[in-house]
Amino acid sequence: MNRKTLVLPAVVGLLAPVLAACGASDGGSGGNGAIVVGTTDQFVASEEAPAPLDPAIGYEAGVWNVLRQTVQTLMHVPRGGGLPVPEAAESCAFTDTANESYRCKLRAGLEFADGRAVTAEDVKYSIDRVVRIKSTNGPVSLLNNIDTVETKGDREVIFHLRTSDATFPYKLSTPPAGIVQKDKYPATSARSGFQVDGSGPYTMKPEVKNDQVVKVVFTKNPRYKGDLKVLNDKVELDLFPDATAMGKALDEKKIDMMTRTMSPGQAQQMLEKPKEDVKLTEMPGLAISYLGFDTEDPAVKNKAVRQAMAQIIDRGQIASEVYGTTAEPLYSLIPSSITGHTNSFFNKYGEPSATEAAAILKDAGIHTPVKFTLHYTTDHYGEATAAEFRTLKKQFNDTGLFDITIEGTPWAKYRPAEVRGDYAAYGMGWFPDFPDPDNYTAPFLDKDNFLNSPYRSTVAQKTLIPQSRREDDRSAATKTFQQLQDIVAEDVPVLPVWQGKQYVASREGLTGVEWAVNSSADLQLWELGRS
């Protein structure tokens, strides 16, 4: 999510679980009480972010993991991946050869959790609301290709798009396209607080202390009608300050499963010395980590500075020394397991070289050492983040070409500051909104981009991105995506660092674990049961 930002290192290729959970994956319901799931995600209400769980505002993986349980979408990506299928909809399809008109028919008898009927007008209201609010820190970019939303009766919705977009069904499967109620979500402003209401598989109740969520209780929604099979009655999401506290809770049998974010050390230890009655499951993952730049900041405005950093960075050292077996070097925004990937950065810069970096800076007339602060968040991407940025600082400064300091900031302040343009250079992560190469390029290069970056590539925005979206056969767009990756390697508006694996640890007797987290790191709590 961003979405959304990653919290744990994605796997290369869709791997089978290392250790499957005990029992069948579609086991019984939670008759022995709530299934308890741990996470290190933090949901904090502040003056800058008063509505972290509003579908029009929240654009990060942890937030989406709450929304997916409660807010229903027209489409969803099925268990195991693949093309989206109808969820709240009975059917959906493009009605023209140009992929510019998309029609959906709602299931009969849909109701919100409070019993009010879900209609086509609710769908239109929900989509229009996201576009109208247009949160600078939100997911509006996923829906900004919609020109108008038309309704016919209570059950038909037609989306008229500005340009062709073969990825639109995926976008209708994301939380910002979720259906909300007019009486609970204002048309032009965010819904403050932490309560989420919808027509999804669960109702939710947050427990809040000091403007921060400490627990979310999901209860099976008896009014839910959709494509998902709910295999439990109740799931409790417990929020922990760090992976160490979450791991202790698992050892003490206070939680049944820990997800985001196990530390690399925890995963490595469980791989080498499995714990009794605890299963470690390696999940398909598509996460990436990268450095972003304010390309108008004087320190990094000249692309030669950013190119020199691309020439110096030793991704292999970061992966091996900081993340061990849970990450590997990344030489493109598109990870190697996604169609269209190419190693554009390696092709252009090759192995790390201070000599080559010095030549880049000299040719551009840049005086050295180049001085600025590299920012990172202290509490969002796991405990290894600080070590990663200490390593990056050393790599750059040891060349004598840079004089970089590093500074860590809690996520609640970090993300708004990044969006405002307070940072010249900063670390971020990304879990895809959907598993398509478009979602690794457009969010960073298109208008209204996720980073609110001033960087602009006319070729990318006006030609290549629209061209890639016209292809129904996504493999046919491979050449276009390779061009986009080459543009990023040349201009370096972002600098890819690593792609990783994600792991889930669970206590014996919990079923459905291998399905409960998909490749985009989306929690699917309805898959969990007890053997």
Side-chain angles (χ1 to χ4, degrees), residues 6 35 67 107 120 171 194 199 205 207 217 235 274 282 308 356 367 390:
L6 92 150
I35 293 170
L67 295 176
R107 294 176 185 269
K171 294 173 181 176
F194 299 102
S199 56
K205 181 180 180 181
E207 293 186 17
V217 178
V235 180
E282 182 182 301
E356 294 291 338
H367 297 290
R390 288 194 296 269

Side-chain angles (χ1 to χ4, degrees), residues 157-313:
V157 187
I158 304 100
F159 299 94
H160 300 285
L161 308 182
R162 291 187 172 90
T163 59
S164 299
D165 188 0
T167 70
F168 189 66
Y170 280 111
K171 294 173 181 176
L172 287 184
S173 71
T174 62
I179 308 167
V180 299
Q181 295 173 258
K182 294 180 181 180
D183 59 338
K184 295 181 178 178
Y185 288 84
T188 59
S189 61
R191 178 183 182 177
S192 59
F194 299 102
Q195 184 60 46
V196 180
D197 295 283
S199 56
Y202 296 96
T203 60
M204 65 86 80
K205 181 180 180 181
E207 293 186 17
V208 181
K209 293 181 181 179
N210 301 321
D211 294 323
Q212 182 168 348
V213 176
V214 294
K215 180 186 297 184
V216 182
V217 178
F218 295 103
T219 303
K220 186 176 180 179
N221 176 11
R223 299 182 186 275
Y224 169 71
K225 293 183 180 70
D227 194 51
L228 305 175
K229 183 179 180 182
V230 184
L231 301 176
N232 57 67
D233 295 324
K234 184 177 289 187
V235 180
E236 180 181 298
L237 188 68
D238 284 8
L239 280 64
F240 293 91
D242 52 50
T244 300
M246 182 170 60
K248 182 180 178 183
L250 184 73
D251 291 339
E252 295 176 351
K253 301 184 180 181
K254 293 180 179 178
I255 63 175
D256 298 298
M257 183 171 91
M258 64 175 183
T259 56
R260 301 158 44 84
T261 53
M262 289 180 60
S263 71
Q266 286 174 324
Q268 188 69 31
Q269 185 178 37
M270 289 186 188
L271 284 169
E272 295 174 354
K273 297 180 180 180
K275 294 185 178 182
E276 185 178 357
D277 298 330
V278 172
K279 305 295 183 182
L280 182 68
T281 306
E282 182 182 301
M283 314 298 292
L286 301 171
I288 67 170
S289 179
Y290 60 94
L291 302 182
F293 300 97
D294 178 355
T295 54
E296 291 299 317
D297 187 284
V300 296
K301 184 174 183 177
N302 192 316
K303 74 176 182 181
V305 174
R306 308 191 300 270
Q307 288 177 331
M309 294 177 71
Q311 184 65 72
I312 291 168
I313 187 171

Side-chain angles (χ1 to χ4, degrees), residues 401-469:
L401 303 173
F402 288 89
D403 180 9
I404 290 175
T405 57
I406 55 175
E407 183 176 327
T409 305
W411 180 255
K413 294 183 178 180
Y414 182 84
R415 174 63 171 149
E418 180 273 311
V419 172
R420 286 195 306 268
D422 293 355
Y423 303 150
Y426 50 89
M428 292 289 281
W430 182 256
F431 269 115
D433 304 318
F434 48 89
D436 186 277
D438 176 82
N439 200 238
Y440 288 94
T441 48
F444 304 98
L445 302 177
D446 210 353
K447 61 181 180 179
D448 298 324
N449 63 78
F450 165 70
L451 297 174
N452 199 32
S453 169
Y455 171 78
R456 294 292 181 269
S457 167
T458 301
V459 173
Q461 288 187 4
K462 300 295 185 181
T463 304
L464 297 178
I465 291 174
Q467 181 176 305
S468 72
R469 290 173 173 170

